[in-house]
Every structure is written in C-alpha cells, then in structure tokens.
Amino acid sequence: MQGTDCNIESCFLCQSCIPAWRAAIAASKQTLAFRKGEVIFREGDKVQGIFFLYEGAVKVHQSWEEQKELILRFATAGDVIGLRGIGDTYPVTATALDDTRLCFIDNVFYEASLQTNPSLTYKMMQRYALELQQAELRMRNLAHMEVKGRIAAALLDLKQVFGLDKEKYIALAVTRQDIASYAGAAYETVFKFFVELTNENIIATSGKHIKILNETALKNYVKQPGKGA
C-alpha cells in the first residue's frame, strides 16, 4: 500500500547518488507501507524493481520441501530487498515481520541510477557480494552443522540484525516457527531446545520475545562446519 513520504536527504539510495540526482529520485520513487504479515513480493512474481527498507523488519524466504519454507535472511532498516530479483521473476518471497516502510524504484529508473551514479553501483555490488557470501555460509552450515548449533546461530543472528530493546530482549518478536525455518529445523526441535536453554539460564523468553542471558554458552553450541559439530 502507499505510505507516507520518506526523508530523501538521509536514505541509502540518496546518500549513494550525486546530489543532482535526488530530484529524479523524488520524482520516480514510491514509498510503500506494509503491515505485519503482508507479502511485499512473492516467489514467481514478475520483477518490477528493487526495495530500500526504511523501517520495520522483513524475512526473505523461499519454498522448501513439502510446502515448508526456508528463511534465507532477515532485513531491517538500511537493508535492500529484491537483490535476488535479477531476471524475469523473483526466486524468493519477502514478507513483513512488523509494520514496515520501504522505498521502491522500478527497473528502468534503477538501471538509470546505476549508470549515472558510480558510487551507487559500487555499493550495490558490495551488497550483492555480501549477500552471496552470507547465503553460501548459511547453506554450508545447514549441510554440516548440528541442529542445536544452527538454532543457537539463528538466535545470535537475530540479536545482530535487530539489536536489543530497553529490557535487553531481541528487539523483534520472532515466532518459533520462523526460527525453525531460518535454522532448517523442525518446530518441535526448536521448542525442546528452547526449554533446555531456558533451564540452563542461557536464554529467557516472554511470549515471542527472547533474551540471551549467556551469550558465551550459546556460542559454544555453534561449531565450525566439519569440526565435529
């Protein structure tokens, strides 16, 4: 849905372009708002453009075996989604995990922006490379790391991506199912491991909110792939 306007003086897109290009951005962009649970784009949709995330939280996921989903990454303010949309259709789905606001630019204007702004092109290349590197690491971990290690790594990733609130909980409430989908685990396995971590005072939970009490102990579950995880 159409949302309120953004501050073009501080967004990633504007900061990465020459000042003279900002008027073109203001005329061409759309600011979109999505409520929690709404799909921003769906796997198989025709690629229309790219999204710059202003505020909120998004999960990027794709279909997995037997109607399951695998969450590839979480995104928050300052991130870009739709990077995997080079081609005719999106190979992934993006869903809002919280009330979310994004800047959308269509393919034609995005290509013109890259051709006109070398700094934007360089920064986007860096983002492509980083996302590819992170995706390769996650696939390796899914293949070689034990399930408890993957769940522990997921909790550490959530803390890094979303930060902490005033009460030291991970700032976004994430469902056990989403954690399972991110870690490549069954919901029941996540539930049982959470009970174990809670009994050992490694984490505390309040509904969907999670607090890491002993990060060192949690990291001990995360072993390097191929080293007896």
Side-chain angles (χ1 to χ4, degrees):
M1 67 182 69
Q2 192 72 33
T4 56
D5 202 4
C6 67
N7 179 4
I8 68 169
E9 298 299 323
S10 61
C11 75
F12 169 82
L13 178 60
C14 293
Q15 288 181 333
S16 303
C17 293
I18 58 176
W21 194 248
R22 292 181 180 177
I25 295 172
S28 301
K29 71 176 182 63
Q30 298 179 58
T31 304
L32 305 177
F34 293 86
R35 293 180 179 176
K36 179 179 179 179
E38 286 190 315
V39 172
I40 298 165
F41 56 80
R42 195 179 301 277
E43 187 174 346
D45 284 352
K46 184 178 179 181
V47 175
Q48 302 288 345
I50 194 166
F51 301 81
F52 298 85
L53 185 52
Y54 290 144
E55 60 184 29
V58 172
K59 65 177 179 180
V60 178
H61 53 104
Q62 63 183 174
S63 302
W64 200 24
E65 53 189 32
E66 297 180 359
Q67 297 183 339
K68 296 179 181 178
E69 73 171 23
L70 179 65
I71 296 177
L72 302 176
R73 70 183 181 103
F74 295 99
T76 189
D79 288 331
V80 182
I81 59 173
L83 290 175
R84 295 172 181 265
I86 294 179
D88 294 329
T89 60
Y90 289 108
V92 295
T93 299
T95 302
L97 291 172
D98 201 356
D99 290 347
T100 297
R101 197 159 57 96
L102 308 103
C103 169
F104 171 78
I105 60 172
D106 63 35
N107 289 329
V108 174
F109 185 71
Y110 179 50
E111 184 175 343
S113 296
L114 293 175
Q115 291 173 347
T116 307
N117 298 275
S119 178
L120 175 65
T121 303
Y122 177 70
K123 289 181 180 179
M124 293 305 298
M125 286 178 61
Q126 288 180 310
R127 285 180 178 258
Y128 279 112
L130 179 61
E131 184 168 331
L132 178 60
Q133 182 184 52
Q134 291 173 338
E136 290 175 343
L137 177 61
R138 276 190 35 75
M139 291 305 103
R140 189 170 71 221
N141 288 346
L142 286 173
H144 297 288
M145 187 181 289
E146 282 190 346
V147 64
K148 288 184 177 180
R150 299 199 303 268
I151 297 169
L155 294 177
L156 294 168
D157 285 350
L158 288 169
K159 177 184 176 183
Q160 181 179 5
V161 172
F162 298 113
L164 303 177
D165 62 18
K166 294 180 180 179
E167 298 180 350
K168 305 300 182 182
Y169 285 90
I170 293 172
L172 182 75
V174 181
T175 67
R176 306 292 191 272
Q177 184 57 61
D178 277 346
I179 293 171
S181 297
Y182 185 65
Y187 172 87
E188 293 78 9
T189 302
V190 172
F191 181 84
K192 290 178 181 179
F193 188 44
F194 269 40
V195 172
E196 180 180 334
L197 293 175
T198 301
N199 290 339
E200 294 177 0
N201 292 317
I202 296 174
I203 67 169
T205 61
S206 177
K208 297 175 184 177
H209 294 275
I210 303 165
K211 180 188 293 186
I212 298 175
L213 301 175
N214 189 336
E215 187 166 327
T216 299
L218 193 62
K219 287 179 177 178
N220 286 337
Y221 283 97
V222 183
K223 305 293 185 180
Q224 292 295 322
K227 294 186 178 181

